[in-house]
Structure formats: structure tokens, C-alpha cells
Amino acid sequence: MLYANTLGVASPAILIFLGVVALIIFGPKKLPEFGRAMGSSLKEFKDATDGIMKDHDKDDVRK
């Protein structure tokens, strides 16, 4: 059975398996679009969390 290591990072075998499954499900033409969409979503999430942290830091300075 395939397991992730204790640091939460998947082993290369798991990554290859997931890549093959994604290729089967989405196909070779849709996979790059899916990757771009995931990347832009992750960037928006990071920007939003950075904004929240900056607001939180400003509130701490005021107290």
C-alpha cells in the first residue's frame, strides 16, 4: 500500500500514480488548463491570506 511520509509530502510513487490518474480523468488537452486554474486559485488564496495577516498585524500594533 502507498503511504505519505511523516512530513506530509507524498512519495514519488504516489505523485506518479496521481499524475497518471489525472491524465486518464482529464485527458492530455485539459490537464494544462486544469493546472493553470489551480495555480491561479492558489495565488488568489495566498494573496487573500497575506491581506488578512497584514490587517491582523496592523491591529496588533494599534493595541
Side-chain angles (χ1 to χ4, degrees), residues 29-51:
K29 292 183 181 179
K30 292 284 184 181
L31 207 52
E33 295 173 20
F34 181 72
R36 279 191 289 276
M38 289 298 294
S40 65
S41 298
L42 199 60
K43 183 180 183 299
E44 289 178 24
F45 179 76
K46 184 179 176 188
D47 291 343
T49 55
D50 285 345

Side-chain angles (χ1 to χ4, degrees), residues 9-63:
V9 179
S11 69
I14 293 175
L15 294 176
I16 291 170
F17 175 75
L18 290 176
V20 169
V21 170
L23 191 59
I24 291 169
I25 292 173
F26 297 110
K29 292 183 181 179
K30 292 284 184 181
L31 207 52
E33 295 173 20
F34 181 72
R36 279 191 289 276
M38 289 298 294
S40 65
S41 298
L42 199 60
K43 183 180 183 299
E44 289 178 24
F45 179 76
K46 184 179 176 188
D47 291 343
T49 55
D50 285 345
I52 291 170
M53 292 303 293
K54 287 178 184 177
D55 290 343
H56 183 3
D57 290 343
K58 286 180 186 177
D59 291 341
D60 287 345
V61 172
R62 291 180 189 162
K63 290 182 181 180

